[in-house]
C-alpha cells in the first residue's frame, strides 16, 4: 500500500487519535525501532509496533521457540516450536504477514559488547524485551553513549516494572539501580513463573512511550519507575528525577559493559540448567560438516538456522555463529569442556 493510502485507510483510527494525528503517523512510518529480546515482552512490543506502522523494526534474539513459550509469547505458534525456529526468524515471518509495509530486520544473535553499538546504530528508540540485568546495563551504556532513548521493561510472576530513559535528560538505569541484584537472588520467569496479563500491561506502557517519543510528544511521557502487580492489585509510580552527577554511565561517561572482557564468553542461563558459550572469534558454522563430525558421538539434527546434538545427559544447540547453548549443566566449566570437545574453538 502506498504511504498516502495507508495514512488515510490502514492507520485511519490512529490518525484520528489527537495524540498522533497525520503528522505523527508520518513520523512513525519513517522511524526505526530496535527490540532487544523477542520473548514474551518482545513479542508484544513487536506486534504492537508493527501494527502501528513503524517503518523499520530491527529484532534481535538469541533463542529458539520452545513449547513452554507458547503460553505467553504471542507471536509464536506450535509449528514454530516444532521446527525449533529462532525467535527472531519466527517473529519476522509472522510480522510480515501482519503488515507487509514494515521492513523487518531479524538478527539471530546474542547481544554483547561486540555488537550492541552496531545494533542501535540508526535506531530512533530501543525497547527492552530482555530477561536479565547484564543485558540491560549493556543497553543502558550503549544508549547513554549514543544519546538514544530506550525503554526498560521487566515482568515476573504477576509483577512488572518499566521506565523510560532519555540520556542526559532523565536519570538512567544505572542512576536508579546502581547494582544488579546478585545472580540467583531474584525470582525469574523460569523459577517463579509468569502470567501473560502482566506482559501485556508492561508492554502496553513501553510501546505507548515509544509512540510518544517518536511522535515528539515528550511532555506526555510518564517520567517514573512504574510498577504493577496485576494479581495483588497494586499500581505505583516513583519519580526518577534528573541524571545523577556521580552515575558512572550518564554522569561520568564510563561505559564498563562496552569494554571487551575475556570472561564474558560464557553465561549460565538461570533456572534453565543450561550454559551459553559464545565463540571468542566471529565465525560461521557449516552444519553439514559439523553434523558429519558429530554423528558417531550422538544424535544430530539440523536445519537452516541451528544444529542440535545429544550426547549422554547433555544437549548442545549450535547456532550459525558458533554460539552454543549447552543443556544438562549449570557449570560453566562443564559446558566449556563439552563445547571444546564437540564444537571446537
Ligand atoms: Zn545515570
Amino acid at each position: 500500500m502506498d504511504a498516502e493510502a495507508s495514512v488515510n485507510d490502514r492507520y485511519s483510527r490512529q490518525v484520528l487519535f489527537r495524540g498522533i494525528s497525520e503528522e505523527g503517523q508520518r513520523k512513525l512510518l519513517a522511524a526505526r525501532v530496535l527490540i532487544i529480546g523477542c520473548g514474551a515482552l518482545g513479542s508484544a512490543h513487536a506486534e504492537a509496533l508493527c501494527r502501528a506502522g513503524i517503518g523499520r523494526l530491527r529484532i534481535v534474539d538469541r533463542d529458539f521457540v520452545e513449547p513452554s513459550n507458547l503460553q505467553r509469547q504471542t507471536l509464536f505458534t506450535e509449528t514454530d516450536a516444532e521446527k525449533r525456529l529462532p525467535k527472531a526468524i519466527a517473529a519476522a515471518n509472522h510480522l510480515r504477514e501482519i503488515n507487509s509495509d514494515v521492513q523487518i530486520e531479524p538478527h539471530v544473535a546474542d547481544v554483547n559488547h561486540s555488537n550492541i553499538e552496531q545494533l542501535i546504530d540508526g535506531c530512533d528508540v530501543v525497547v527492552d524485551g530482555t530477561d536479565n540485568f547484564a543485558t540491560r546495563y549493556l543497553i543502558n551504556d550503549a544508549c547513554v553513549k549514543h544519546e538514544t532513548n530506550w525503554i526498560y521493561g521487566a515482568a515476573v510472576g504477576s509483577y512488572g516494572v518499566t521506565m523510560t530513559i532519555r540520556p542526559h535528560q532523565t536519570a538512567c538505569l544505572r542512576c536508579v539501580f546502581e547494582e544488579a541484584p546478585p545472580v540467583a537472588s531474584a525470582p525469574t520467569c523460569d523459577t517463579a513463573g509468569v502470567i501473560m496479563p502482566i506482559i501485556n500491561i508492561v508492554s502496553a506502557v513501553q510501546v505507548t512511550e515509544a509512540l510518544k517519543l517518536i511522535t515528539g510528544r515528550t511532555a506526555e511521557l510518564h517520567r517514573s519507575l512504574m510498577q504493577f502487580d496485576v494479581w495483588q492489585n497494586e499500581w505505583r509510580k516513583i519519580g526518577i528525577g534528573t541524571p545523577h552527577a556521580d552515575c558512572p554511565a550518564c554522569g561520568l561517561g564510563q561505559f564498563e559493559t562496552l569494554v571487551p572482557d575475556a570472561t564474558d564468553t560464557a553465561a549460565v542461563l538461570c533456572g534453565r540448567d543450561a550454559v551459553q558459550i559464545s565463540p571468542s572469534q566471529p565465525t560461521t558454522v557449516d552444519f553439514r560438516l559439523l553434523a558429519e563430525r558429530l554423528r558417531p558421538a550422538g544424535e544430530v539434527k539440523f536445519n537452516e538456522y541451528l544444529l542440535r546434538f545429544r550426547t549422554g545427559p547433555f544437549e548442545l544447540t549450535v547456532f550459525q555463529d558458533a554460539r552454543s547453548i549447552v543443556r544438562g549443566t549449570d557449570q560453566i566449566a562443564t559446558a566449556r569442556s563439552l563445547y571444546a570437545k564437540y564444537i571446537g574453538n
Side-chain angles (χ1 to χ4, degrees), residues 3 6-7 11 24-31 52-56 214:
S6 67
V7 169
Y11 304 113
Q25 187 62 50
R26 289 188 204 288
K27 289 178 181 168
L28 298 180
L29 291 168
I54 298 297
R56 284 172 293 183
I214 294 165

Side-chain angles (χ1 to χ4, degrees), residues 78-339:
E78 291 180 357
T79 309
D80 297 329
E82 274 158 30
K83 289 187 181 164
R84 298 185 178 282
L85 285 180
K87 289 183 182 178
I89 302 294
N93 293 344
H94 297 300
L95 293 168
R96 287 178 182 130
E97 282 195 58
I98 289 169
N99 190 343
S100 58
D101 291 337
V102 176
Q103 284 180 40
I104 313 289
E105 306 168 16
H107 292 261
V108 183
D110 180 43
V111 178
N112 58 46
H113 66 80
S114 73
N115 58 9
I116 180 78
E117 292 179 74
Q118 217 177 327
L119 284 166
I120 68 168
D121 186 40
C123 293
D124 299 282
V125 180
V126 177
V127 189
D128 176 16
T130 66
D131 60 358
N132 66 86
F133 254 89
T135 310
R136 293 190 183 109
Y137 282 137
L138 183 77
I139 298 171
N140 190 67
D141 276 355
C143 285
V144 170
K145 182 177 169 187
H146 294 278
E147 302 280 343
T148 303
N149 297 320
W150 79 279
I151 305 161
Y152 157 62
V156 61
S158 58
Y159 168 82
V161 57
T162 178
M163 167 179 154
T164 301
I165 292 112
R166 300 172 71 202
H168 303 114
Q169 297 184 54
T170 65
C172 78
L173 190 72
R174 189 71 80 168
C175 293
V176 175
F177 300 107
E178 244 169 89
E179 300 285 339
V183 171
S185 70
T188 71
C189 295
D190 298 286
T191 59
V194 61
I195 54 172
M196 198 175 83
I198 190 60
I199 302 291
N200 292 340
I201 290 170
V202 174
S203 176
V205 176
Q206 285 181 275
V207 167
T208 310
E209 293 280 285
L211 298 180
K212 293 173 193 172
L213 285 167
I214 294 165
T215 55
R217 302 288 187 142
T218 51
E220 327 297 336
L221 294 165
H222 64 71
R223 292 161 201 278
S224 65
L225 186 73
M226 217 180 238
Q227 296 170 296
F228 323 90
D229 191 316
V230 71
W231 202 266
Q232 303 299 329
N233 312 306
E234 289 166 4
W235 308 75
R236 225 181 338 178
K237 258 176 92 172
I238 302 167
I240 56 167
T242 49
H244 299 188
D246 59 350
C247 167
C250 70
L252 306 173
Q254 294 163 356
F255 306 113
E256 59 185 51
T257 66
L258 300 180
V259 179
D261 175 351
T263 62
D264 66 4
T265 56
V268 177
L269 303 179
C270 286
R272 291 177 50 182
D273 196 29
V275 176
Q276 173 177 268
I277 307 279
S278 302
S280 47
Q281 302 290 330
T283 183
T284 305
V285 177
D286 183 332
F287 289 145
R288 206 168 291 277
L289 287 179
L290 181 61
E292 263 175 40
R293 198 148 59 82
L294 292 174
R295 215 155 263 138
E299 187 194 330
V300 192
K301 279 183 190 160
F302 66 96
N303 61 25
E304 206 180 325
Y305 310 104
L306 54 85
L307 175 146
R308 182 162 297 208
F309 168 61
R310 279 203 179 87
T311 181
F314 303 107
E315 184 185 85
L316 278 77
T317 303
V318 186
F319 293 84
Q320 270 175 338
D321 60 1
R323 183 171 54 82
S324 301
I325 293 174
V326 182
R327 264 178 218 283
T329 181
D330 57 5
Q331 299 299 309
I332 285 177
T334 309
R336 274 198 196 284
S337 150
L338 287 160
Y339 187 88

